[in-house]
Amino acid sequence: MIQKYIEHFKSGSLDAHKDASRFWVKDVGPVVESYIGFIENYRDPAGARAEFEGFVSCVNKETSKKFSTLVSRAEELLQRLPWGADYEKDKFLKPDFTALDIIYFGGSGIPAGINIPNYDDIRQNEGFKNVSLGNVISAVPKQKIEFLSADDEAMYKKYFKESFEVQVGLHELLGHGSGKLFQNEGEKLNFDKNKVKHLITGEPIKTWYEKGETWSSKFGQLGNAYEECRAEAVGYFLCCYPDILQIFGYEGQVADDIKYTNWLNEIRAGLVCLEFYQADAKKWGQAHSFARYVLLRIALAAGQGFVSIEECVDENGKADLKFNLDRNKIDSVGKPAVGDFLKQLQVYKSTGDFAGGSKLFNEWGAVGPRELRWREIVVARRKPRRNFVQSNTVLTNGKVELKTYPATNAGVIQSVVERYGEDAVNDALNVWEKDVKIFGL
């Protein structure tokens, strides 16, 4: 794996990085886990250029036992998804699924969970890994949660970590890890054209991925938001099953509260994510935000008082919103609505039908006058973005000590300064100076 990494970074060969990822997938159950490369393309408006990131972490063995059970039951649980066996992979490639505590993460943002590698051909045919970043999930600032009633805010703060751990597990393993792509493999199709029907029209399948085509090449810059929406919806849908919550160690009233907190957190996030809608350009700038907003629209459209958002004023006379989700209607209203939408998302993904998929997704992702008013209130009441400040380990009198820093910009800078020695700084300066000479930066 490391040899292939070296080859990739020296030559720029994408095939070398894919080979490194293949070796990485085969390294099952390590105590120390890491991955590196140009991985996510969320920040590129064209959805093509990937940003460099890398992490080093230790496996949380206790939490990983839950994920191991989830993996062992994955084939059974996938049958509950609303698209049937024809639209599911012929064989589920059981991944390594671990809970990690991050020691160091290099990148512009730290996710709560990851499903990698991002190469669809490797994920579908060779395998993948899921990781949940536990100490990222728990690093939540203690501040007011906007737009919730006092009771809902208390529930949110009590069970956020537990509910998000469930969501991340279902999202990464059974969300990103599910669903079949109908492909022309050169000599034959990987599905029975005479048997498999389109789940929306009921007609024979007319589109698929030709040789050389991938999910990313077909769906382009919409692909990230679309896929994140599909994976998020799988999490909402499957957390409604008591036996799945039991895998994570939750039963009875606690399990019901965690299910409610998950739906409350995720659907409310679709409202808060309006902050990332670019009103002037009429476009979304962040894949996860776009995805969650679409699912908010689905929940609102389900009707029957399941989700409501009321415009109001607070005690200081400032514009406010009241978000409400009826917990008694999650199973009867919310789950069927999300399930039906999930089926549609999967059909267009499986068949490589960008025209149909983009029409569906963009219609639900439209932001009208009402939502623009909500956006103004969301932006006016938003909190400062939190700083993730990474600790350092130092050797003092033969003992390893953890050194932490304040969650401020100065703390971030000090953490970085003390992490790297003078040689590392000089190496970075030399690279920069060469770039200046070559490119005239």
Side-chain angles (χ1 to χ4, degrees), residues 224-299:
N224 280 328
Y226 191 107
E227 174 61 11
E228 291 303 331
C229 186
R230 195 183 69 89
E232 285 284 80
V234 167
Y236 301 177
F237 187 84
L238 291 180
C239 82
C240 293
Y241 291 91
D243 62 324
I244 292 179
L245 289 169
Q246 193 175 24
I247 292 173
F248 291 88
Y250 309 120
E251 298 182 75
Q253 186 60 48
V254 171
D256 198 62
D257 287 345
I258 287 171
K259 176 179 76 174
Y260 175 60
T261 304
N262 189 36
W263 277 77
L264 181 72
N265 171 46
E266 296 293 330
I267 301 296
R268 172 192 167 274
L271 171 63
V272 177
C273 285
L274 277 166
E275 170 189 346
F276 296 99
Y277 178 71
Q278 299 170 25
D280 293 339
K282 296 183 179 180
K283 62 181 290 189
W284 284 92
Q286 211 281 346
H288 292 83
S289 298
F290 192 4
R292 287 169 179 151
Y293 172 75
V294 166
L295 289 169
L296 167 68
R297 290 283 312 280
I298 295 294

Side-chain angles (χ1 to χ4, degrees), residues 36-44 48-54 105-109 118:
I36 193 169
F38 295 89
I39 312 301
E40 304 291 358
N41 57 9
Y42 297 126
R43 289 163 63 86
D44 179 15
R49 293 167 296 185
E51 179 183 4
F52 178 82
E53 67 179 42
F105 201 109
S108 64
N118 277 351

